[in-house]
Amino acid sequence: MRIFDNPHFEAHETVNFAFDAQTGLRAIIAVHDTRLGPAAGGCRFWNYDSEDEALADVLRLSRGMTYKNAVAGLDLGGGKSVIIGDPKVIKTPDLMRAFGRAVDRLGGHYTTAEDVGVDVSDMEAVRETTAHVAGLARGAHASGDPSPVTAKGIFDGLRRAVALRFGREDLAGLRIAVQGLGHVGWYLCTHLHEAGAKLIVSDIDAGRMRRAVSEFDATPCAPEDVLTVEADVFAPCALGAVLNARSIPGLRVAVVAGAANNQLEEVADADRLHARGILYVPDFAINAGGIISVSREIAGVDDPDWVTARMSQLDANIAAILAEAEAEQVSPHHVAMRFAERRLEAAGR
Ligand code: NAI
């Protein structure tokens, strides 16, 4: 396992490895950058094929949080954690409490929350051993499941991209392919269906597919076909790295706007999309609604307007990023990165 010369290391401030013999916990907590404030980012519980894969994932995700928090205008740094193993097999409240102790040892340098494989009830167990946790269902300032706020942000960002690409404010009749009908994907489909879009839905879970087809009057699409299905918009809401040198030539959409973290396999994929004339809304900007929701809890604020104001600011930032990219004829990914870097550099000074 390579750490400091790992291709994904990218100047991380700290990387912690946590082990607990009693529960079998194996976790990695990565803190990338705290110039804007203490780090915050979710905990992913995933059955990685190897420890190298887990390390690469946590490093990529935690760096992504630095840029996400920066572009969302939050005074939070970037961090993320992963727990290695199949959550369906090894996840117990005791293991989550052991994870909480590992978070607690960092003394507030990192605050955790939900990500794939971890839900609100797991975070309740984590709370028993650390105060540095958010996304809780109960207690002072509890913000609960961040997914509805994430989905609202995706919906707003998607509409911005549609306005730019198709010159229209509404989504009526637009064909939108949604990959992943989990927490965020489902809420997103609800918004899109209400707005009159024609949905094409795809999930590896056959039950969710059936429910989505009936509830949203959607067209089902096999998971292996969703990257080549003809539509106006593609909304990736499952896992990362779906946009790459192999998939981009086959895409038959004009816009990509979805929730998944790390949608690009590599930065060059942003340019590949741009060269094909596909408008890509940077994932770390458009999916920041969840961390905005969680950050209210971290800030100890109860007022829901606090979230609404930041969501409006995010929407405005995304509109500005898309407009600037259009004017410069570059991928919005580069403009969003520049936007975040400016905030980070100012904070660093
Ligand atoms: P989830 O685990 O609830 O949903 C993921 C869905 O994708 C599941 O229904 C799963 O069956 C499906 N899926 C997995 N592989 C698939 C494939 N190959 N084809 C089609 N469907 C597939 O996760 P959640 O919370 O909805 O998050 C979705 C994505 O958005 C993740 O990448 C997550 O990191 C990201 N995200 C989530 C946020 C949140 O607030 N929940 C915030 C920011 C990003």
Side-chain angles (χ1 to χ4, degrees):
M1 180 182 279
R2 291 157 63 193
I3 310 285
F4 295 110
D5 65 346
N6 190 297
H8 304 293
F9 185 71
E10 304 257 14
H12 266 71
E13 289 180 10
T14 61
V15 182
N16 282 267
F17 295 83
F19 176 69
D20 180 65
Q22 223 156 35
T23 59
L25 171 79
R26 287 181 301 150
I28 313 176
I29 305 172
V31 171
H32 176 247
D33 191 309
T34 57
R35 275 177 288 176
L36 289 173
C43 169
R44 179 169 292 190
F45 207 137
W46 192 254
N47 199 9
Y48 293 100
D49 288 336
S50 67
E51 291 175 6
D52 281 332
E53 195 195 316
L55 178 65
D57 203 31
V58 76
L59 293 175
R60 274 166 58 85
L61 288 166
S62 107
R63 178 170 179 269
M65 287 309 301
T66 297
Y67 291 97
K68 185 185 307 202
N69 291 336
V71 105
L74 300 172
D75 294 328
L76 292 172
K80 199 92 180 184
S81 51
V82 295
I83 300 178
I84 302 170
D86 184 346
K88 291 198 183 86
V89 179
I90 67 162
K91 191 165 76 179
T92 60
D94 272 346
L95 184 141
M96 295 311 297
R97 281 190 278 271
F99 172 70
R101 281 194 293 278
V103 171
D104 204 59
R105 275 181 224 121
L106 302 181
H109 199 51
Y110 164 72
T111 295
T112 195
E114 297 87 351
D115 192 65
V116 177
V118 173
D119 59 30
V120 174
S121 67
D122 300 320
M123 286 299 136
E124 295 293 341
V126 170
R127 190 215 332 230
E128 291 174 34
T129 49
T130 185
H132 306 298
V133 54
L136 297 165
R138 293 184 304 273
H141 326 297
S143 62
D145 178 11
S147 309
V149 187
T150 304
K152 177 65 169 58
I154 306 296
F155 180 67
D156 292 343
L158 187 153
R159 287 184 52 168
R160 291 282 182 189
V162 164
L164 197 65
R165 180 53 89 240
F166 298 105
R168 52 185 280 185
E169 298 299 320
D170 70 310
L171 302 179
L174 223 61
R175 298 161 303 166
I176 302 183
V178 180
Q179 178 190 41
L181 305 167
H183 289 91
V184 182
W186 195 273
Y187 286 114
L188 176 64
C189 285
T190 308
H191 286 298
L192 294 172
H193 181 59
E194 274 170 20
K198 277 195 207 155
L199 292 177
I200 301 163
V201 293
S202 187
D203 199 292
I204 49 172
D205 182 316
R208 271 180 211 171
M209 276 265 266
R210 269 196 306 276
R211 279 201 302 282
V213 166
S214 94
E215 196 147 324
F216 306 122
D217 195 17
T219 306
C221 176
E224 59 275 20
D225 295 334
V226 72
L227 288 161
T228 50
V229 74
E230 191 178 351
D232 298 302
V233 180
F234 172 50
C237 300
L239 295 174
V242 289
L243 305 171
N244 53 54
R246 300 169 306 286
S247 67
I248 291 169
L251 290 176
R252 292 197 290 160
V253 293
V255 169
V256 175
N261 280 311
N262 294 333
Q263 291 168 31
L264 306 174
E265 193 170 275
E266 53 179 353
V267 176
D269 296 319
D271 303 316
R272 290 189 179 104
L273 288 163
H274 181 70
R276 281 217 48 212
I278 298 172
L279 180 57
Y280 165 68
V281 188
D283 51 6
F284 63 89
I286 196 173
N287 72 12
I291 192 69
I292 288 177
S293 167
V294 163
S295 68
R296 177 183 63 72
E297 187 173 340
I298 296 173
V301 176
D302 279 322
D303 184 1
D305 289 346
W306 195 91
V307 171
T308 313
R310 277 155 186 80
M311 289 300 284
S312 301
Q313 185 59 55
L314 177 68
D315 183 41
N317 289 353
I318 287 177
I321 286 166
L322 295 183
E324 210 168 304
E326 176 91 347
E328 289 179 26
Q329 279 301 300
V330 295
S331 166
H333 174 83
H334 302 307
V335 179
M337 288 293 285
R338 213 164 58 202
F339 186 99
E341 291 283 7
R342 274 202 297 269
R343 267 203 83 204
L344 288 161
E345 275 162 26
R349 282 199 296 276

